[in-house]
Amino acid sequence: MILSVDHVSVAYGKLNAVWDVSLGVGRGEIVTLIGANGAGKTTLLNAIVGLLPVKSGAVYLGERNITGRKAHKLVQLGIGYVAEGRGMFGSMSVLDNLILGAYAQHRGWTSQLGDAAWLLRREEFKRRIEHVYQLFPRLTTRESQKAGSLSGGEQQMLAIGRALMTAPKLLLLDEPSLGLAPTVAKEIFGLLNRLRGEGMAILLVEQDAVSSLKIADRGYVMEMGRIVFEGTAKHLISNDKVRQAYLGQVWRSTSETPAQEGRNQV
Amino acid sequence: MATWQLVQYVVTGITVGSIYAIVGLGFTIIYSVTGIINFAQGEFVMLGGMTAFSLIGLGLPIPVALMLAVVLVTLVGVVFNLTAIRPAGRASSITLIIITIGGALFIRAVAGLYWGRDAVALPPFSSGASLSFLGAYIRPQSLWVIGITLVLMVVVYLLLNRTLVGKALKAAAINRRAAALVGIDARMMSLVSFALAAATGAIGGIVIAPISYASYDMGVMLGLKGFVAAAMGGLTGVWGVFLGGLGLGLAESLAAGYISSSYKDAIALIFLFAVLLIRSRRLVAGEEAAA
């Protein structure tokens, strides 16, 4: 496993938002975390990446216990996080946003004080940015544009691109399809598929449970801060209770399971 | 009114304005990274002048003494950030600003105890007679002041706009959380901004000391005028504060020359009044837009 979450609880003050959650994500695997609003998905992600303190339990990256490490340190260890709302540096250019994605890998004095143009000529940096441009050709033409002026879909691509610039082993995404046109969302899911092929471990939080279960290998369902179902994506899709609670409405409108449609309707 | 007089006032105005620009630069650096208006900035300037004076008094060669003074004051900036700003965590800007006022009072009091109340003078950076230009006299130190200001502005501009650390400083100011997610530690960026502001402040104190003397309380007025320069420049850009400083310096010098030298400081206060009036209106407008 690249990521192992071991009996983790997270609290805001005295109020527990995540209870005793355990999950894992392996190399070349997409794992999805689904559940209603307020189920604790985002809280769990924030705790994994070090933005929130873990109250009890432990988080492992590979063999390494990373519980309680600060977010800016975890980036150096290979955790990329595409937060909900994207978190652009809006008044900076697309290129500057991508350059900053590689910040964690360039902490030496020469890199810090070197001209950014010089950084762009460095081999491994060039390779990475070309990789991002290859995944999102649209960003190439927007390079010098301010990040804040991009469309929602382009901003999401930039947010993912910037996370990829950190050279992550593990990529966490919080609602990447939120507010995007269906074609753009599809493009983003296609990209996750491709990253999985490159061996990346991906933890995907989605409200659009159908889309995310379609692409995922495995899934966990959260409810009131706890994991209530887990299993392979296929298993979850065909689980009656899961479908009733999370897939019902959406599933009915698709034509893929006509035989079972009647059962979920109340 | 003779031409040479006007030229003389303009030269004086540009010289003094350059100093205000340097002092204002420190305000701008810290404000644009952390949102704090650092009222201890004037004390960094004072410490630069006084420390250089003491180090020269110890018999160090002048260039060594001046550079060492900048290094020492930079360390003061770092210590100030670590002991006064960092422990306050994510307190509101107002709280942090009040902390800097307390810090300024503390530094000034310690300086008064250590150096006493007398003003001291540094030797000019180069000897030689004043140059004559259109009938006006230009002291070599004026040229040093203007030259060093320009170099400093360019260096800080390049540092903030072209280097990776400059981009990181900006990023931490724009979105602290997003910055953390690419590996930028906002607390470290705050520290860097204080170090940089202390260094520029010290340089300002050192270059002005041969012209107008240095004393434990010189930071009060210089800090105020530097703040006016920075606020006139919008508190965010290097060139804005440069123009703000020159504008203030020229206005002061011309008012002192043509009206009365007793109006010199009043000019700065009038500018301050105007700037606060305009900027606070803008702030209110910004809040409305956000709401």
Side-chain angles (χ1 to χ4, degrees), chain B residues 55 81 84 101 103 124 197 237 249 268:
Chain B
L55 292 173
N81 182 275
I101 295 174

Side-chain angles (χ1 to χ4, degrees), chain A residues 46 49 51 71-72 75-76 79 81 83-84 87-92 96 99-101 103-104 106 111-117 119 162 166, chain B residues 90 158-189 192:
Chain A
N46 285 344
V49 302
L51 288 172
H72 66 266
V75 184
Q76 294 161 20
I79 295 187
Y81 183 29
E84 196 184 343
M88 292 290 92
F89 304 124
S91 57
M92 301 176 87
D96 278 351
I99 287 175
L100 283 168
Y103 181 86
H106 295 88
S111 301
Q112 288 280 302
L113 294 177
D115 188 276
L119 192 66
R162 193 178 62 191
T166 68
Chain B
R90 299 206 196 171
L158 291 176
L159 189 72
L160 292 181
N161 291 285
R162 293 289 176 80
T163 67
L164 190 58
V165 69
K167 291 179 196 301
L169 285 165
K170 252 190 217 169
I174 297 172
N175 190 334
R176 190 185 172 110
R177 231 173 78 110
L181 293 177
V182 295
I184 298 165
D185 181 4
R187 297 198 307 174
M188 178 54 95
M189 293 301 120
V192 169

